[in-house]
Amino acid sequence: MSDVLLSPKYKAFLRHNAPVEFLEGTTYAGKTTVGALKFMLRVAKSPRQLHILSGLDTGTIEKNIINKELGILDIFGPLVEYNAGGKGQHSLPHIAFRDKIIYVLGYDNKARWKKALGGQYGCLYIDEINIADMDYVREASMRCDYLIATLNPDDPSLPIYDEYINHSRPLPEYAHDAPEELNQMLCKEPKPGWVHWFFTFDDNPALTPEKKAQIIATVPPGTKLYKNKIQGLRGRSTGLVFDLRAENVITPAKAKDFTYLLYSCGVDTSYSRQSDDTFAFVFSGITACRKKITLAERVYNNRDLPKPLTPSDIPPLLVDFLERCRGEWGFGRNVFIDSADQGTILECQKYKRAHGVPYVFQGSWKQTNIIDRINLQAGWMAHGDYLVVDTCRELVREMNTYSWKEDKDEPEDRNDHVINADQYSWLPFKKMIGRMAQRNGH
């Protein structure tokens, strides 16, 4: 049996007991090797006989987890027996580990894994869960006592993030190991005990400085591959509309250092229960030094609510948001609601008449077309005149996801509800933002 070199963080990972663990990070960080090691140790302790090791297909699992140097066969030696064609009463490919059976399943073969997932399992390992069949993930994860999954950072709009990974959290002692923009994406309601681990080259003591330099040198900077594999950042493959940089995201304390000339609110709505589209309230401030700062957001999705919101439900929620922002930041009288949603506008105006609130509810200003909005906003971002408070996680997520269509020179109609609400908040005041000379007269 071979020995595995372990960093202090990987030793802490092996000692930690959790029901669900996600291992995300750069390439060559050792995630697969040490993840498989912990999986086998958890299998050994489990009272159940049946377990699952899964990946893209059985060939990939054999190459990357079972047969490789420091793979399961190398580490555990005579303690394990791999039966690629099945054996005895277990016709599926499996690993026999003492008195335990570990089925080897490729999530590419739906017919096979559907046949296999008929009962309860002890431990479940999913390699590269970011590319896994979501039906497999949903079906398999609810049948296990312990789930461990590895992944390389990928397109943040993938459902695996919202449904699973973004519900996990790092342990306090490792909270700052991942890039801040990735940590901001871990914003879904936390699930008890779900842990997010972020590993890099530096966590792999077997990786020499020379090999690390060679790996980095072979990946072109600026590509998706470089962002995902080398920097450990999530991102789409091509065509992001905005380049949200670290300097565009500030803390609430930093935002309070500015003097504000006015505040306003933008609202975008979607009442569908069948999509990811959201209701978004965004509160913005424009400073004396001509910066636009997104200060607060609130987001709802009818798909996630037991009782769906209707237009009459919006006014009290919106006024509560505005009052909280008034207490935290200041009074913003103007509220701009998507002009296509006349029902919500009328309900808010009716609420104002009935309750006497000081806010002015009106339709959004859409005279500036989408491309000109993007042009303005991108210019402000480049010059540091467009800032976002780091608690506005949904806006940050959308700006790291919002993309151009691949077959047409226009942005996709998705991942943009918070962005739209944000734009509604500044469109009437665009001449107060950025450098004095407005590009192209806009």
Side-chain angles (χ1 to χ4, degrees), residues 328-350:
E328 176 74 11
W329 301 101
F331 176 55
R333 182 170 64 96
N334 289 293
V335 182
F336 302 96
I337 303 169
D338 183 1
S339 56
D341 186 1
Q342 289 297 310
T344 300
I345 296 171
L346 290 173
E347 288 292 339
C348 288
Q349 292 172 344
K350 184 168 68 174

Side-chain angles (χ1 to χ4, degrees), residues 182-336:
L182 190 151
N183 276 336
Q184 289 174 1
M185 296 179 186
L186 302 177
C187 58
K188 293 297 181 179
E189 180 183 0
K191 298 290 182 72
W194 287 28
V195 179
H196 182 273
W197 297 89
F198 187 86
F199 294 106
T200 71
F201 297 111
D202 297 332
D203 295 307
N204 184 358
L207 186 65
T208 65
E210 294 76 19
K211 182 61 176 177
K212 177 181 175 181
Q214 178 192 1
I215 295 165
I216 295 174
T218 58
V219 183
T223 61
K224 177 182 184 288
L225 195 65
Y226 191 90
K227 183 174 185 177
N228 296 164
K229 301 282 191 176
I230 306 300
Q231 295 179 299
L233 298 171
R234 297 177 187 172
R236 288 183 60 109
S237 55
T238 58
L240 283 176
V241 172
F242 294 113
D243 179 21
L244 185 67
R245 296 174 295 189
E247 53 265 35
N248 296 118
V249 182
I250 62 174
T251 64
K254 177 65 176 176
K256 289 182 184 295
D257 289 340
F258 292 94
T259 300
Y260 292 88
L261 298 181
L262 65 84
Y263 300 99
S264 65
C265 177
V267 177
D268 198 24
T269 60
S270 171
Y271 294 95
S272 171
R273 300 199 72 181
Q274 309 301 321
S275 74
D276 295 326
D277 293 345
T278 59
F279 301 87
F281 307 160
V282 172
F283 191 77
S284 294
I286 297 176
T287 72
C289 57
R290 304 183 65 84
K291 295 184 186 296
K292 186 274 179 195
I293 306 180
T294 307
L295 301 170
E297 67 177 15
R298 187 180 293 179
V299 178
Y300 302 91
N301 188 326
N302 263 347
R303 184 194 61 189
D304 300 328
L305 298 174
K307 182 181 178 182
L309 295 172
T310 65
S312 63
D313 296 318
I314 299 302
L317 295 174
L318 179 54
V319 169
D320 177 74
F321 172 73
L322 292 165
E323 286 294 289
R324 289 176 182 271
C325 290
R326 180 167 71 91
E328 176 74 11
W329 301 101
F331 176 55
R333 182 170 64 96
N334 289 293
V335 182
F336 302 96

Side-chain angles (χ1 to χ4, degrees), residues 372-387:
D372 287 333
R373 294 182 212 172
I374 291 170
N375 191 33
L376 282 170
Q377 195 167 335
W380 296 335
M381 291 170 65
H383 294 116
D385 295 325
Y386 178 95
L387 303 172

